[in-house]
Amino acid sequence: MSGDSVLQVRDLDVHLGRGTARQHVIRGATFRLRPGEAVGLIGETGSGKSTIARAILGLVRPSGGSVQVDGHELVRRSAGAWRRLRREGAVQYVFQDPLRSLDPDHRVGDSVGEPLRIRGVAGPEVRERVAEELRRVNLDPALADRFPSELSGGQRQRIAIARALITKPRVLILDEPVSALDSANRVAVLRLLESLRASDVTLLFISHDLGSVAGVTDRTLVLHQGRIVEDGPTSRVVNAPAHPYTRLLIGSAPTLRSGAIDADERALLRAELAASEG
Amino acid sequence: MTATASAPPVSARGASPLATIVRLRSARIAGVILLGVLVLATLGPTLAPYDPLQNTSDILAAPSAAHWLGTDYLGRDVLSRLLAGSPVSVLGAVQVTVIALVVGALPGILSVYLGRVFEWLTLRVVDTLIALPFLVFAVAMTALLGNGITQAMLAVGLLVSPIFYRVARAAALEAVGAQYAEAAQLAGASTWWIVRRHVIAKVLPPIGVALANTMGAGLVVVASLTFLGIGVQPPAPTWGGVLASDLGYLGYRPYAPLFPTVLIMLTVWAFNLLADAIRDASGASGRALLHRARGGLGRTGTAVAPSVPSPPTPSERDAEGAVCVPSESAASEAPVSVASASDPSDTASERGTR
């Protein structure tokens, strides 16, 4: 794999809130995504996973650090510059809950085609591309005339993915794309993500669930309290976690590895984790 | 047969809000009544068989072929007075509603966009308007600005505007913070695009409901004020004024107040019916209505489209209850198969809080 980065995040700091409620949510996060790579970002609820994604996308203003896509700096851009960049569609995002991320009053085809319409692409071409993307995510193009409420959760999430793919992004960030789905739909979406790896899109798969991430990623980043505490090949992170927090995370899933941890070991890891945090 | 079942099926794409709303029987009834009210409001004075201000010696006469609704205590034809009073009564309600809409809805939507100072200021103004006593304020305004229907309606419109402010603001807040608006933003949409494509569609139905309700309420307010002689003074005819004069002679014509009352009630009822219809035809219930119509199965419709929702594929069925790793290559590196009930983050986060 080449040393080039499609996305490079360096010393990213994000503060949220004002005054006394101001919190240091992301603390010096540094990582890079290489072209075509699939990377998992895991951590518990509140660890800052979504905030990292929102900072990359410009929905949250970082207080420090740098985010580069194909060498272009994204931090401290003007609103107009952001709009132009977003219309190019290089980085796309898939929300956790497809029911909320698709406008309930818009037909599926209108939602999927919206990024193209925003760019000013003509109607017939938009319809053609929508049908193409729906087929790509294994859905019947006839669903374009339906409303999101008429579809199943898995179909909705595939539609959200189709909307993100229609701009042919270089990087696709998926924020807990399967956590709102039942197991059958979860498998369907994970299979779809797996098939995306064959294309040259780079995936950043955010999840609290290592089980979902492990199957579709090459590399895994572990986020704990706003810091990236582990970054390595997924198989290594799963089989030989270096950081106590990762060991706790993996040990908490009894079927994840044969060596599930017992209560004593868990207490030991907690103490180790507390010591490492000073 | 239900109204929805008897209505013609709509095409998959041709479903304007208007097309959806006329499918409701309540909307059609309201429409017919309000069309009648519109005719009264525009043509009422010309339809009046007599001069509504012309006194005659035939006072307090019972309904007859010459005077269909009888005459009042000055011998004036009641039908003519009701017809001639229609424009003032209905236009008064329209004035109230338009003033309330402009003063309320616009700042309500803008409060979401124009920053904290504007938001804070408008919220405090609205709080103040809500605290003002209704009739006293209207009387004071007419005393200050002159006793005219427009002055009175300006006062009432201002007092009613918080309803529009709140409804518009709530709908706009919901749509602006929604993920679909954020998704459009991430696709490079301008604020105007988001407002036009996502926010307006969410804001309009509740405003439409408030509009219809306010028209009804406004009509009652106009009738109440004119009943009290505020805004329009006798002998100018209004629905409220006719009611007031009829109430003075109950001993002679006990049925007389029924005529203006029925007119007022029927109009208000039609506006409320229309408000209900707008609510039923918009949002989720509107889509359900369309859904049923498209299936052509009426209320009991089940089969909408053969492909929706699609049945699970055999592989999806196999996966019930457990999450399998879809990638064979990845699976060989990291043998992960997590039962769906076991969620590492739950236990991890639980620990993190200790």
Side-chain angles (χ1 to χ4, degrees), chain B residues 44-298:
Chain B
T46 52
L47 292 175
Y50 298 94
D51 178 357
L53 302 177
Q54 182 63 54
N55 298 357
T56 64
S57 56
D58 190 12
I59 62 166
L60 298 170
S64 63
H67 300 286
W68 290 3
L69 302 182
T71 60
D72 69 0
Y73 70 105
L74 292 173
R76 297 172 297 194
D77 181 53
V78 171
L79 177 64
S80 299
R81 286 185 67 73
L82 283 178
L83 286 172
S86 301
V88 171
S89 306
V90 175
L91 288 180
V94 171
Q95 279 177 336
V96 167
T97 309
V98 170
I99 291 167
L101 178 69
V102 174
V103 175
L106 216 57
I109 297 171
L110 292 177
S111 70
V112 178
Y113 287 99
L114 292 189
R116 285 161 176 259
V117 176
F118 183 81
E119 185 182 21
W120 188 89
L121 281 175
T122 50
L123 278 169
R124 298 296 83 77
V125 169
V126 163
D127 288 345
T128 310
L129 285 174
I130 291 168
L132 286 174
F134 185 74
L135 262 177
V136 176
F137 184 69
V139 173
M141 283 285 276
T142 50
L144 198 70
L145 302 173
N147 191 7
I149 191 81
T150 308
Q151 287 89 326
M153 293 309 105
L154 182 70
V156 177
L158 276 176
L159 287 178
V160 177
S161 63
I163 295 172
F164 284 89
Y165 180 89
R166 290 179 155 189
V167 163
R169 179 176 153 79
L173 265 179
E174 198 182 323
V176 164
Q179 287 186 353
Y180 49 77
E182 225 165 44
Q185 189 189 348
L186 287 175
S190 62
T191 303
W192 172 235
W193 174 285
I194 293 171
V195 168
R196 193 162 50 89
R197 299 273 305 173
H198 298 285
V199 178
I200 283 184
K202 308 293 176 295
V203 174
L204 280 186
I207 287 186
V209 173
L211 207 69
N213 270 330
T214 308
M215 277 296 291
L219 205 85
V220 172
V221 168
V222 176
S224 309
L225 289 176
T226 51
F227 180 87
L228 296 171
I230 301 167
V232 177
Q233 284 191 322
T238 57
W239 293 355
V242 172
L243 181 62
S245 65
D246 284 341
L247 283 175
Y249 300 90
L250 280 178
Y252 298 93
R253 281 166 34 99
Y255 54 83
L258 277 179
F259 302 130
T261 306
V262 165
L263 197 57
I264 293 166
M265 282 178 62
L266 202 65
T267 313
V268 173
W269 184 72
F271 276 121
N272 287 341
L273 208 58
L274 182 67
D276 285 349
I278 294 171
R279 195 200 53 219
D280 289 345
S282 58
S285 52
R287 283 190 298 276
L289 195 73
L290 192 67
H291 193 94
R292 285 198 300 268
R294 211 164 46 196
L297 296 168

Side-chain angles (χ1 to χ4, degrees), chain A residues 3-10 12 30-37 39 41 52-58 66-75 82 85 90-92 170-173 202-206 219 221 231:
Chain A
D4 298 344
S5 306
V6 58
L7 175 78
Q8 174 135 25
V9 175
R10 209 180 300 132
L12 187 72
T30 299
F31 62 92
R32 56 160 62 183
L33 306 186
R34 298 179 191 93
E37 200 179 20
V39 175
L41 176 61
I52 285 192
R54 293 175 73 80
I56 293 170
L57 294 155
S66 147
V67 176
Q68 292 184 352
V69 172
D70 285 331
H72 300 293
E73 181 59 52
L74 303 190
V75 176
W82 262 117
L85 186 87
V91 183
Q92 288 294 321
R170 302 261 290 133
V171 179
L172 182 61
I173 302 177
T202 305
L203 298 179
L204 179 61
F205 187 159
I206 297 172
R219 197 151 60 85
L221 311 169
D231 178 354

Side-chain angles (χ1 to χ4, degrees), chain A residues 54 83 86-87 103-107 114 145-146 150 155 183 188 194 208 215 239 249 252 256 266 270, chain B residues 12-13 182 188 193 197-198 202 287 291 294 305 308 310 316 321 327 330 333 336 343-345 347 351:
Chain A
R54 293 175 73 80
R83 231 179 354 255
R86 285 168 178 161
R87 284 185 193 180
D103 191 326
D105 292 326
H106 285 204
R107 291 171 199 281
E114 189 175 26
D145 271 335
R146 301 280 160 214
E150 296 173 279
Q155 286 174 320
S183 53
E194 177 61 18
H208 63 261
N239 294 312
L249 207 60
S252 313
L256 203 60
R266 208 171 284 151
R270 265 204 298 276
Chain B
R13 287 224 146 249
E182 225 165 44
W193 174 285
R197 299 273 305 173
H198 298 285
K202 308 293 176 295
R287 283 190 298 276
H291 193 94
R294 211 164 46 196
V308 179
S310 70
E316 284 172 342
S327 157
E333 284 173 24
V336 181
D343 181 348
S345 81
T347 38
R351 252 179 241 116

Side-chain angles (χ1 to χ4, degrees), chain A residues 140-155:
Chain A
D140 182 355
L143 293 186
D145 271 335
R146 301 280 160 214
F147 288 106
S149 57
E150 296 173 279
L151 308 178
S152 74
Q155 286 174 320

